[in-house]
Amino acid sequence: MRAPRTPMLRSILLAGVALALATPAIAAAPGAPAKPWLNRQLSADARATALVSAMTQDEKLQLVRTWFPPFATGKPGAPTDMIPSAGEMVGVPRLGVPTLRESDASLGVANQVEQRKGDVATALPAGLATAASFDPELAYEGGVMIGSEARAKRFNVLLAGGVNLTRDPWGGRNFEYLGEDPLLAGVIDGEHIRGVQSNHIISTIKHYALNSQETGRMIADAKIGWPALHESDLLAFKIAIEKGNPGSVMCAYNLVNGDHACESHELLTNILRGDWGYKGFVMSDWGAVHSTVKAANSGLDQDSGAELDKAIYFGAPLKEALAKGEVSKARLDEMAKRVLTGIIETGLYDNPAPATTQPIDYAAHALVAQKAAEEGIVLLRNEGGLLPLAATAKTIVLIGGHADVGVLSGGGSSQVRSVGGVPIEIPLKGGPAASFSRTTWHSSSPLKAIQALMPGANVTYVDGSDPVAAAAAAKAADVAIVFVTQWRTEAEDIENLTLPDHQDALIDAVASANPKTAVVLESGGAVLMPWLQKVPAVLAAWYPGQRGGEAIANILFGKVNPSGHLPLTFPAAEAQAPRAAPVNLAAIKADDAASNAGSAGGATPAFPITYQEGADAGYRWYAAKGEKPLFPFGYGLSYTHFAYANLKVTSGTTLSISFDVTNSGDRAGADVPQVYVAADGKVARLAAFQRVTLKPGETRHVTLTAEKRVLSSWGANTRGWHLAGGHYHVALSHAAGDAALTADATLTDQYFRP
Ligand code: BGC
């Protein structure tokens, strides 16, 4: 056990850090190069410190704000060569510091409302699909792919890495993120970031922290105990930072326990720097800054998209605050140094992005997107083995969801204008998202993909607008496949979990006409399924990205064996969720619209959201309340079967779990054995998992180590973890709440640092 640091000791250490920064770190040793920042043998820290000491104050100030091209173009002092995109930081060419060109986001290089005419990119499926794969390698591959496209398009910062935990099933951005479990989300996010940065560009991790709701996102004050936050959302960030080492952390719009996230000393300095030792820079979300002195002194290093704030806080006001001593020169040095550390540590400084756009192998990248969709689609139900549909079906009718032309995309800053174009685009009629979001479909037609797979069959499409006509078409077919959609976007939560536009009635009518009905759900999270008992087969395809049509077809017809597992709970009823859907929606949306228009500067009063479930987000909330969801976290069927045997656990300081997993069916497939661990009287948490691909009849011996932090509690005073010694129940499971095999272990009492 390491001795806990006292608050006094911590402040001495932090003061020491500030002092060290104020002192030029690199003495001119005999024979040392004249420009130590060029010396690749030195640490990023040392090189960044040397660069800072060679900079003028104005150059440093240049690094701590970025311009927002749509609003900045033509403004005095604005760069004249901005790429229409999310942001630009002007570099310092005389010192080799590159201009930072920033683009969204986690699902590909965004260009959602076509700021750059005709510029397309490869669209990965929703983050939820990647999380549903439970496959860190897949997350890495996706990151490599989108990062390479960003670089080829001359961007060197990708605003990726969204990892806010799903706490409410109606969250507008749930689709972008990685579900409700900190271990799964953290591991997948970290690998995704690592992949992006393998291209020597910066990835962010965002939105730090607790930006779990879109309604009133700029004025919402997330209330939660700090230990509970460490044990849940912050743990996801921490795990992802350890694995991916992102160059930058983006602080969120919302407030956390009374302070704006971008001016929270606790989040930005005590936790990120003090507890975690993070060295890169904190950039604000766009329009999330509300002050100069408080923000700078709390730990914000860079004001992003400054034109969206009420004032350019890190422009002239920061210069003034420096002159008055309200922000120290050492603090400005530190801010600049952190930006430079992100630039150097990711390899960007030594490998600048190309000056002109480079060719992209879109055909190869499409396969990455398709694989991600195929691994992420979750088979939720398959009564009587309706799926895979295989060769017996001669007449197949597809109904609804625009399945003749494409698959739905989520909306907002993460939205990619994908290769192949936009077959359907519906502008919004108002609301906070209207200025930057449209409802669009990727050009990946399930109809065409199924026709290509089933050349001998008669495969047709009806649009589903008339349930009577749809039922008649279903009756005349061997099989009916209903495509239903639920659209979500950044800046707005959905109002309930019912499928919109009478799609429940459509499914009911079709399933009543033909019992061989499958439902394909394109959604950004959970939906209610009042028709479930009538429908033998259901696939959750999320927003499946630019090759979603092909992926869905391959799963439906058995070319690919489904292997996705839910990264979030599907509740059986809205009342099971920890909070009601946001109330007073109209008023909150009006406030939000005002904030989005640039009047966020503290004028609008905060409204609280109480996260009374604390660390028990997601499946742990349902377990604690004894609620049985419609489909639990971790759930997902396959066309084969997997059996577990020989579970063994070790006791002592570390919990290691070993077992055999066998593919007991007759086709190859991938399984995700999940280990849930609970102390006496506590709800179980996912402590380890592994995706395992097996041939028919094959057995694999698997050994996993439980993530200790999910078994521990955070000490507010010790600022560290405590794993309470005693008995732990271990369940080897196919999903949360299921226990295929169980064992008990005794763990040693222990304290450890983050
Ligand atoms: C979003 C961020 C995004 C930024 C830049 C904000 O509205 O919350 O996720 O990176 O815009 O587009």
Side-chain angles (χ1 to χ4, degrees):
M1 170 193 155
R2 283 166 63 174
R5 264 184 213 164
T6 62
M8 175 69 85
L9 181 55
R10 281 174 41 77
S11 55
I12 293 170
L13 287 175
L14 289 174
V17 169
L19 205 73
L21 281 167
T23 326
I26 306 209
K35 297 175 177 174
W37 51 86
L38 296 178
N39 182 352
R40 297 184 189 199
Q41 307 308 313
L42 294 178
S43 68
D45 198 86
R47 294 173 74 187
T49 305
L51 271 172
V52 171
S53 60
M55 278 182 177
T56 64
Q57 177 166 294
D58 282 346
E59 284 170 340
K60 292 173 201 168
L61 284 168
Q62 221 164 280
L63 306 191
V64 301
R65 62 135 331 159
T66 68
W67 300 80
F68 181 54
F71 289 12
T73 305
K75 287 252 167 79
T80 51
D81 66 340
M82 289 184 290
I83 307 180
S85 63
E88 178 161 325
M89 179 209 84
V90 179
V92 184
R94 76 176 181 93
L95 295 171
V97 177
T99 286
L100 294 185
R101 299 184 195 276
E102 304 177 329
S103 174
D104 285 296
S106 301
L107 313 181
V109 183
N111 184 17
Q112 72 271 31
V113 288
E114 224 183 351
Q115 286 177 290
R116 301 182 301 283
K117 274 271 165 255
D119 185 20
V120 293
T122 305
L124 284 172
L128 284 178
T130 301
S133 74
F134 280 64
D135 184 351
E137 276 175 37
L138 182 91
Y140 177 78
E141 276 173 42
V144 172
M145 187 272 283
I146 64 171
S148 76
E149 291 196 3
R151 192 179 164 90
K153 292 173 187 292
R154 299 170 55 224
F155 292 110
N156 50 19
V157 179
L158 198 56
L159 307 170
V163 72
N164 296 94
L165 294 188
T166 298
R167 283 181 172 266
D168 295 296
W170 17 78
R173 292 184 95 168
N174 288 357
F175 74 92
E176 273 183 60
Y177 303 142
L178 304 165
E180 66 193 24
D181 180 74
L183 177 63
L184 174 66
V187 168
I188 296 291
D189 201 44
E191 288 303 311
H192 188 71
I193 291 167
R194 202 167 66 80
V196 169
Q197 293 197 161
S198 68
N199 296 285
H200 299 310
I201 65 170
I202 293 173
S203 173
T204 52
I205 183 169
K206 67 189 189 184
H207 308 86
Y208 185 69
L210 215 46
N211 186 178
S212 288
Q213 165 172 326
E214 293 302 286
T215 305
R217 63 179 173 163
M218 302 209 179
I219 53 172
D221 185 3
K223 302 278 190 199
I224 191 168
W226 288 105
L229 190 55
H230 276 275
E231 292 160 16
S232 52
D233 301 59
L234 292 183
L235 183 55
F237 274 91
K238 177 66 166 78
I239 291 172
I241 289 174
E242 282 164 12
K243 293 200 174 293
N245 194 17
S248 182
V249 171
M250 187 191 294
C251 52
Y253 283 129
N254 52 288
L255 298 88
V256 178
N257 293 331
D259 281 315
H260 283 285
C262 291
E263 359 180 281
S264 164
H265 196 267
E266 183 63 18
L267 280 177
L268 306 185
T269 297
N270 294 352
I271 295 171
L272 193 63
R273 311 294 185 191
D275 296 330
W276 300 353
Y278 177 70
K279 297 251 190 314
F281 63 109
V282 175
M283 68 163 75
S284 69
D285 202 341
W286 273 234
V289 183
H290 303 272
S291 64
T292 299
V293 175
K294 185 173 180 193
N297 288 341
S298 299
L300 178 66
D301 301 311
Q302 191 182 70
D303 180 355
S304 310
E307 291 73 28
L308 287 165
D309 296 328
K310 207 173 169 195
I312 309 292
Y313 293 110
F314 280 14
L318 180 56
K319 210 166 175 175
E320 218 174 287
L322 287 161
K324 286 192 199 151
E326 291 168 344
V327 174
S328 70
K329 297 220 162 57
R331 173 64 192 130
L332 178 65
D333 282 0
E334 187 179 54
M335 292 158 78
K337 177 182 157 174
R338 285 179 172 154
V339 173
L340 293 164
T341 303
I343 292 174
I344 296 168
E345 206 158 55
T346 50
L348 171 60
Y349 186 82
D350 298 321
N351 306 274
T356 54
T357 52
Q358 302 296 303
I360 292 172
D361 187 349
Y362 285 122
H365 289 186
L367 299 179
V368 178
Q370 184 170 329
K371 186 175 167 209
E374 288 172 347
E375 282 199 17
I377 290 175
V378 183
L379 176 61
L380 290 175
R381 184 171 163 88
N382 197 17
E383 289 303 296
L386 178 65
L387 302 183
L389 289 170
T392 45
K394 290 287 170 235
T395 359
I396 302 163
V397 61
L398 276 56
I399 298 167
H402 297 293
D404 54 337
V405 292
V407 290
L408 185 61
S409 152
S413 59
S414 67
Q415 197 172 344
V416 176
R417 269 195 113 75
S418 58
V419 180
V422 178
I424 298 176
E425 178 162 41
I426 308 165
L428 305 192
K429 294 199 191 87
S435 64
F436 66 105
S437 182
R438 295 173 191 164
T439 311
T440 62
W441 270 250
H442 294 299
S443 176
S444 174
S445 155
L447 177 65
K448 286 192 188 134
I450 291 173
Q451 284 169 337
L453 273 186
M454 302 288 288
N458 177 20
V459 189
T460 54
Y461 174 76
V462 298
D463 71 10
S465 56
D466 174 0
V468 177
K475 196 162 191 173
D478 291 336
V479 179
I481 310 171
V482 189
F483 287 77
V484 289
T485 57
Q486 173 217 53
W487 188 65
R488 300 193 188 210
T489 180
E490 173 181 341
E492 295 176 24
D493 294 315
I494 55 170
E495 294 179 25
N496 57 56
L497 301 181
T498 297
L499 282 169
D501 305 326
H502 312 292
Q503 294 179 97
D504 285 337
L506 174 67
I507 296 172
D508 199 276
V510 170
S512 303
N514 187 341
K516 286 194 174 172
T517 291
V519 168
V520 175
L521 173 64
E522 291 169 30
S523 80
V527 304
L528 299 178
M529 302 184 187
W531 34 262
L532 189 63
Q533 293 313 317
K534 259 190 168 170
V535 174
V538 182
L539 285 184
W542 315 111
Y543 302 135
Q546 126 182 5
R547 287 293 274 261
E550 290 77 2
I552 290 168
N554 284 346
I555 299 261
L556 285 171
F557 289 87
K559 211 171 155 195
V560 172
N561 193 348
S563 59
H565 289 256
L566 291 181
L568 39 67
T569 308
F570 275 41
E574 283 157 356
Q576 288 184 331
R579 271 162 301 285
V583 283
N584 196 8
L585 217 54
I588 292 168
K589 279 184 177 172
D591 281 346
D592 231 1
S595 315
N596 277 332
S599 59
T604 327
F607 76 96
I609 308 170
T610 304
Y611 290 100
Q612 87 273 14
E613 73 277 27
D616 284 338
Y619 58 90
R620 300 183 336 249
W621 163 262
Y622 295 83
K625 292 285 159 191
E627 297 280 3
K628 193 172 162 12
L630 189 62
F631 295 107
F633 172 89
Y635 183 80
L637 303 173
S638 164
Y639 297 150
T640 185
H641 296 282
F642 298 97
Y644 304 148
N646 300 324
L647 174 66
K648 295 202 173 55
V649 297
T650 61
S651 291
T653 50
T654 299
L655 173 60
S656 119
I657 309 104
S658 66
F659 53 90
D660 293 331
V661 49
T662 300
N663 180 347
S664 51
D666 58 5
R667 55 169 84 209
D671 184 34
V672 181
Q674 301 155 42
V675 177
Y676 294 86
V677 182
D680 281 335
K682 293 271 176 70
V683 292
R685 302 185 63 166
L686 182 70
F689 64 86
Q690 185 159 311
R691 188 182 163 95
V692 187
T693 303
L694 296 170
K695 297 194 199 81
E698 188 182 352
T699 296
R700 179 94 37 87
H701 186 66
V702 176
T703 302
L704 302 175
T705 304
E707 166 55 58
K708 265 190 199 171
R709 288 168 290 192
V710 308
L711 312 180
S712 304
S713 52
W714 177 262
N717 296 325
T718 58
R719 296 203 81 104
W721 295 103
H722 176 212
L723 193 155
H727 283 101
Y728 286 80
H729 308 288
V730 180
L732 177 60
S733 311
H734 296 281
D738 150 85
L741 295 174
T742 59
D744 280 341
T746 305
L747 294 179
T748 316
D749 199 69
Q750 52 197 290
Y751 291 83
F752 52 98
R753 303 293 306 164

